Amino acid sequence: MSSQDYDIIIGLEAHIQLTNLNTKLFCSCSNNYRGAEPNSYVCPICIGLPGSLPVINKKAIEFATRLAIALSCEINQSMYFFRKNYFYPDMSKNFQISQYNKAGGKAFADGGNITIKLNSHKKDIILNRIHLEEDPARLVHKGSIATSPYTLVDYNRSGVTLIEIVTEPVMSSPEEAREFLKQLKSIVQYSGISNLDLEGSVRVDANISIKGHDRSEVKNINSFKEVERALRHEIVRQKNLLKRGKKLIQETRHWDDKRRITISLRTKEFEADYRYFPEQDLVPIEIDNIFIQKVKDELPEMPSERSIRLRRDYNLSEFDSDNLVLDKDIADFYEDGVNSDASFGPNEYKQYCNWLMNDISRGLNEQNRKIKDTKLYPHQIVDIVKYINEGKITTKIAKNIVDDMMDGFSIMEILENKGKKRISDEILLQKFSNEVIKENPKIVKDCRVNPKAIEALIGRVMAKTRGQADPHITRNIILELLNKVE
Ligand SMILES: [Zn+2]
């Protein structure tokens, strides 16, 4: 059996924090724990002291409703929370308040899907459900989890709202998983419920198996970017075991992102081990149609709708518009820019898109920055496009100055500072050309027998102007002057 003959089956459980909430899921402690002194954002509820009573955060219900609508899920309008019992240092109550879609319980919403495109092939990734739960505390290890001599616990994260998105096992490659998470991140951003660029806002568990064999669950993948890497590693590991005639066992593995390997944590626990039972301290949640309709009406345009609109309004290709809408801030920047100049038409729309998605995006990636973190303004790209089209600067010069523009300098400032403006002033070029002709009588003589010798004269004008002379105008001027000399 060659390696291509293995069918891969992947299902994901993505846990995302609703970072745009002000308070935690069941108490009024701040949700914004990042950078805070450890164990300073805690209260009797979120550390589970006896006698404390949780109260549901209504805004969290609204945010979950937004996501459910955006993902086309079916919202369960009547539901209650469950206790998921287990002992672990990150869960001081010894249970996590979560949702359970068995034993009479329901998830927050069922079904839904995200359409991905890979190599211009479309595929619907079907969701099983989404549900709300509280985040456990943060365990801090010194170095790798496998070798750390101790573990610290920070309860600031305990009780922060998580939404879990569970897919059906329908993905068949790490690339599909990557595309799915890219689209999910985009939809979450557009829904306004979370900033998934914040460290620790995302955790993914991946179920992965080779068809016909037991699956493993890779836990604690701490960023969407790491998922593809972890899956690739796990596929190779499982294939190698099969090639050596070993049996794959159902187990939970941990992704060690420092060593980039998965390590066995335990053989898979079963749901019964968690002794799920209804959370009696919280009243059931009722969501009525009026509330759902209101959330729906207020929901902003989603990336897939926006992509269609951008194609229509700015004559962009499907490839361009799909790329452009992925990051809402980039798409907003684009629309602000192209709409700021009334003279822009389809050509300029396309040029603007190219600058944003090629040179600017490359610069952002290299510097690991977001467009919001730069001092680049939408109108600066308008200037680039216009200056190039009017022949005031070359594309090459423009490519060299985009990084400086991100630091807040205008094109004119940069050109003046760097002396990179192309000289197209004919009187100035005539002066330099005359000098060159006087200084190089031998080359002028050569030009009479070999027309190509003119290149040497143009080169000397370029040298005098430090590369700024417009070569086309310079050539015409020198030709004219040579004719006069003759
Ligand atoms: Zn609290």
Side-chain angles (χ1 to χ4, degrees):
M1 192 189 254
S2 80
S3 64
Q4 280 88 354
D5 293 326
Y6 292 114
D7 279 335
I8 306 297
I9 304 167
I10 297 168
L12 298 179
E13 297 174 15
H15 302 78
I16 59 172
Q17 286 182 342
L18 300 185
T19 64
N20 292 357
L21 289 172
N22 292 325
T23 56
K24 294 184 181 180
L25 185 53
F26 299 115
C27 66
S28 56
C29 289
S30 171
N31 199 52
N32 187 16
Y33 64 87
R34 288 176 176 77
E37 182 75 12
N39 298 309
S40 59
Y41 289 7
V42 292
C43 74
I45 295 170
C46 57
I47 53 175
L49 293 187
S52 63
L53 285 175
V55 179
I56 185 78
N57 180 342
K58 275 188 188 158
K59 200 77 185 167
I61 299 291
E62 186 196 319
F63 278 18
T65 304
R66 276 194 216 174
L67 186 65
I69 295 169
L71 296 175
S72 312
C73 306
E74 193 162 322
I75 295 168
N76 290 311
Q77 295 183 237
S78 179
M79 67 189 102
Y80 47 90
F81 281 93
F82 275 72
R83 290 185 179 187
K84 180 182 181 181
N85 295 278
Y86 65 96
F87 168 78
Y88 210 61
D90 65 6
M91 189 54 72
S92 54
K93 299 198 293 278
N94 285 351
F95 62 85
Q96 179 188 28
I97 304 179
S98 181
Q99 292 190 273
Y100 193 49
N101 62 348
K102 290 169 194 160
K106 282 172 182 165
F108 187 87
D110 293 314
N113 75 88
I114 290 180
T115 305
I116 61 166
K117 284 179 201 163
L118 200 61
N119 307 322
S120 67
H121 182 76
K122 279 187 194 179
K123 179 170 175 176
D124 274 339
I125 305 300
I126 309 296
L127 305 180
N128 178 282
R129 64 184 183 277
I130 68 172
H131 75 239
L132 281 167
E133 64 186 25
E134 58 179 339
D135 206 350
R138 200 164 69 92
L139 297 181
V140 184
H141 302 102
K142 186 176 188 285
S144 160
I145 190 173
T147 54
S148 178
Y150 56 78
T151 303
L152 301 171
V153 192
D154 178 5
Y155 287 96
N156 283 351
R157 199 181 73 183
S158 183
V160 162
T161 307
L162 286 181
I163 208 158
E164 183 174 346
I165 298 110
V166 183
T167 76
E168 295 290 355
V170 290
M171 281 163 274
S172 49
S173 68
E175 293 81 7
E176 284 187 8
R178 177 193 67 212
E179 287 307 306
F180 168 78
L181 293 171
K182 234 189 203 176
Q183 294 301 329
L184 174 63
K185 183 179 179 186
S186 183
I187 291 167
V188 166
Q189 185 193 22
Y190 276 79
S191 309
I193 58 178
S194 184
N195 176 3
L196 299 187
D197 288 319
L198 290 178
E199 211 218 322
S201 57
V202 164
R203 263 150 282 150
V204 179
D205 299 338
N207 287 302
I208 174 160
S209 64
I210 291 170
K211 197 172 180 182
H213 300 274
D214 276 340
R215 68 189 160 96
S216 57
E217 184 180 19
V218 182
K219 286 224 175 242
N220 304 314
I221 310 171
N222 284 319
S223 80
F224 281 179
K225 278 185 186 159
E226 289 284 305
V227 172
E228 189 182 5
R229 198 176 275 152
L231 288 172
R232 283 186 193 287
H233 169 85
E234 187 58 18
I235 290 168
V236 170
R237 190 191 69 84
Q238 293 188 8
K239 280 181 182 172
N240 285 343
L241 282 172
L242 289 180
K243 278 181 202 157
R244 296 209 304 270
K246 298 262 164 74
K247 193 177 176 321
L248 298 176
I249 49 164
Q250 188 175 345
E251 62 177 341
T252 302
R253 300 181 69 84
H254 168 82
W255 172 242
D256 184 331
D257 59 0
K258 294 198 175 67
R259 295 190 289 165
R260 294 193 175 164
I261 53 168
T262 63
I263 47 178
S264 183
L265 282 183
R266 53 185 177 266
T267 51
K268 173 77 184 172
E269 70 277 355
F270 293 93
E271 274 185 352
D273 299 340
Y274 288 117
R275 293 168 21 253
Y276 277 96
F277 61 81
E279 167 59 270
Q280 302 287 345
D281 288 342
L282 282 161
V283 293
I285 295 162
E286 303 289 337
I287 302 176
D288 61 30
N289 289 329
I290 297 167
F291 176 80
I292 294 174
Q293 191 57 46
K294 185 172 172 282
V295 174
K296 205 173 199 168
D297 293 342
E298 288 167 3
L299 199 68
E301 184 184 38
M302 285 293 126
S304 55
E305 301 161 343
R306 190 174 199 178
S307 179
I308 293 168
R309 183 173 59 76
L310 291 192
R311 257 172 265 164
R312 192 185 60 220
D313 289 359
Y314 305 106
N315 207 33
L316 295 174
S317 69
E318 186 170 337
F319 177 83
D320 281 341
S321 63
D322 282 350
N323 271 334
L324 206 50
V325 299
L326 211 51
D327 180 344
K328 182 174 182 294
D329 296 333
I330 292 273
D332 289 348
F333 189 99
Y334 177 79
E335 291 208 77
D336 285 349
V338 293
N339 288 323
S340 70
D341 195 292
S343 72
F344 264 37
N347 282 338
E348 288 82 5
Y349 296 153
K350 169 72 180 154
Q351 279 177 289
Y352 195 110
C353 176
N354 288 348
W355 277 99
L356 196 54
M357 299 317 290
N358 298 330
D359 293 87
I360 307 289
S361 292
R362 175 196 45 74
L364 292 172
N365 282 338
E366 281 171 6
Q367 299 167 33
N368 198 17
R369 286 162 102 181
K370 295 269 138 195
I371 199 142
K372 269 186 172 173
D373 309 330
T374 71
K375 290 178 180 164
L376 192 66
Y377 296 103
H379 201 268
Q380 285 177 284
I381 315 289
V382 171
D383 288 343
I384 288 190
V385 170
K386 287 180 108 173
Y387 278 37
I388 290 173
N389 292 352
E390 289 165 8
K392 286 183 186 163
I393 57 170
T394 62
T395 305
K396 198 178 167 208
I397 288 175
K399 280 177 183 291
N400 283 326
I401 63 176
V402 287
D403 284 350
D404 288 318
M405 291 174 76
M406 288 192 224
D407 291 324
F409 297 102
S410 74
I411 298 186
M412 283 324 283
E413 281 171 331
I414 300 166
L415 294 177
E416 275 157 24
N417 289 342
K418 291 201 170 179
K420 275 185 181 167
K421 190 178 178 187
R422 194 158 78 167
I423 299 173
S424 52
D425 181 332
E426 294 198 17
I427 294 170
L428 201 59
L429 290 178
Q430 228 154 18
K431 177 181 145 304
F432 287 125
S433 299
N434 261 321
E435 284 174 19
V436 165
I437 285 172
K438 271 184 200 142
E439 289 160 13
N440 298 283
K442 192 178 171 300
I443 304 176
V444 172
K445 215 173 155 186
D446 287 348
C447 287
R448 301 218 172 92
V449 280
N450 177 14
K452 280 187 182 165
I454 191 172
E455 301 299 335
L457 295 175
I458 297 170
R460 279 172 170 68
V461 175
M462 295 302 268
K464 273 179 184 284
T465 58
R466 287 175 299 149
Q468 290 168 256
D470 182 315
H472 185 69
I473 301 174
T474 305
R475 175 186 300 271
N476 288 340
I477 289 172
I478 293 177
L479 275 174
E480 228 171 86
L481 291 173
L482 287 179
N483 284 337
K484 275 185 202 163
V485 171
E486 281 169 33

